Amino acid sequence: MNNKTISILGCGWLGLPLGEHLAGMGFVVKGSTTSLENYDVLKLKGIFPFQIKVSDTEIISDNLNGFLNSDILIINFPPKRREDIEAYHKEQFKQLIPELNKSTIRHVLFVSSSSVYPDLNREVFENDTAMPTKPSGKALKFVEDLLISQPNFTTTIVRFSGLIGYDRMPGRFLAGKTNVENGDAPINVIHQDDCIELITQIIQQNVWGEIFNASADYHPTRKEFYTLAAAKIGLKIPIFIPEKETIFKIINSDKIKKRLGYSFKYPNPLDLIK
């Protein structure tokens, strides 16, 4: 049995199976949901449920202190898709940080995104300093810096690429669309199973105070990947337009593989759709 208690703020597409996996390993796992209707789902996965809603002005919870009475907190909720996404996400964390500083949490794992990198037309690494251009990336970078600066807990950040696997079928993303741009750009994706195992290894190996990229090793082009993915499930393939210039970035994951001694379960995204 593992004697650490782990709280997961955000038990959605990734957080729920992650919580189930950690509970199965013997950790005491607490999970948040915004709806009481999901309590039974969390309980069936071996997760102790808590209702928590983090807005830009307040945190509504049935027992926030109980939820944060843990050793490790995994923060796993992306910026909301709204016009004021950057300002709203920043304020959400300004509500949350004081509560973390009052709690027993000593380690935070923040699920971030490779959207913190702009398109630099090359490989990007954890020590790249170019600032994000998209509002969601700007919001995430602000939160990363805010968490890292806190004195009462140490934070490890994992910048996942596009999440795929199971019911998240990439063939539907561009199916039937025409005049699709940037077909020659390499894609950056990662399977749910790799996300869960990477987070598990960070916890088991006590790797704190780090920033990691996480993306599958192989980066097929958008045209190759989404054409095959649509055809695989019998949908109309997207039509890409020829372009003189390709805008892209390639997420380099060498650091996390070396630090954790990890090999990806799904290094080639094409193997999932062939």
Side-chain angles (χ1 to χ4, degrees):
M1 293 289 289
N2 294 288
N3 56 11
K4 290 180 180 177
T5 301
I6 301 172
S7 293
I8 302 176
L9 185 58
C11 285
W13 184 83
L14 176 60
L16 183 63
L18 171 63
E20 180 182 22
H21 177 73
L22 293 172
M25 295 179 64
F27 291 102
V28 175
V29 180
K30 304 174 184 179
S32 80
T33 175
T34 59
S35 173
L36 292 174
E37 296 175 357
N38 294 326
Y39 266 38
D40 288 343
V41 176
L42 269 66
K43 288 177 181 178
L44 286 172
K45 304 294 186 181
I47 302 169
F48 294 95
F50 291 78
Q51 185 181 31
I52 299 175
K53 297 180 181 179
V54 183
S55 77
D56 59 336
T57 58
E58 62 180 342
I59 299 176
I60 301 173
S61 174
D62 55 355
N63 185 4
L64 183 61
N65 290 335
F67 177 76
L68 293 178
N69 184 22
S70 292
D71 304 296
I72 297 169
L73 174 66
I74 299 171
I75 302 177
N76 178 46
F77 65 95
K80 288 182 176 292
R81 295 186 178 183
R82 43 188 293 160
E83 290 186 2
D84 61 344
I85 181 173
E86 188 177 349
Y88 187 87
H89 203 56
K90 289 179 179 180
E91 293 302 319
Q92 283 181 296
F93 277 83
K94 288 181 180 179
Q95 301 296 322
L96 183 61
I97 294 294
E99 300 300 329
L100 299 189
N101 283 322
K102 294 187 296 184
S103 74
T104 62
I105 299 293
R106 290 298 169 260
H107 301 296
V108 169
L109 193 152
F110 179 57
V111 176
S112 188
S113 165
S114 58
S115 65
V116 299
Y117 299 108
D119 291 320
L120 298 173
N121 294 347
R122 61 168 173 82
E123 278 191 297
V124 294
F125 302 83
E126 290 85 353
N127 59 0
D128 271 307
T129 57
M131 294 303 294
T133 54
K134 296 180 180 179
S136 60
K138 292 178 181 179
L140 287 169
K141 187 63 171 66
F142 173 86
V143 173
E144 289 183 359
D145 293 342
L146 184 63
L147 288 169
I148 289 171
S149 69
Q150 299 306 309
N152 295 327
F153 53 84
T154 55
T155 298
T156 283
I157 293 162
V158 186
R159 295 167 174 167
F160 286 127
S161 292
L163 305 178
I164 61 172
Y166 301 108
D167 62 330
R168 189 164 289 190
M169 302 172 66
R172 299 185 183 278
F173 295 170
L174 299 178
K177 294 188 177 181
T178 59
N179 298 320
V180 181
E181 299 178 343
N182 225 25
D184 292 328
I187 65 164
N188 302 284
V189 296
I190 185 169
H191 194 278
Q192 184 189 87
D193 289 352
D194 280 310
C195 296
I196 290 172
E197 190 56 35
L198 285 168
I199 291 172
T200 301
Q201 289 299 318
I202 288 169
I203 293 169
Q204 288 190 307
Q205 297 185 39
N206 286 308
V207 180
W208 303 109
E210 295 281 2
I211 298 175
F212 293 118
N213 293 339
S215 182
D217 295 324
Y218 184 56
H219 304 268
T221 66
R222 294 185 80 215
K223 182 177 181 179
E224 182 181 19
F225 182 73
Y226 288 108
T227 297
L228 282 173
K232 173 73 173 181
I233 56 176
L235 297 179
K236 190 175 181 181
I237 65 172
I239 305 300
F240 291 84
I241 59 175
E243 293 179 296
K244 294 182 179 180
E245 183 181 9
T246 298
I247 300 171
F248 69 96
K249 60 193 171 194
I250 296 175
I251 306 302
N252 182 291
S253 300
D254 289 347
K255 180 182 176 182
I256 198 168
K257 291 190 295 181
K258 183 177 180 180
R259 182 65 177 83
L260 300 179
Y262 186 77
S263 297
F264 281 97
K265 297 175 182 289
Y266 300 97
N268 187 349
L270 294 179
D271 290 341
L272 298 170
I273 55 178
K274 288 180 178 178

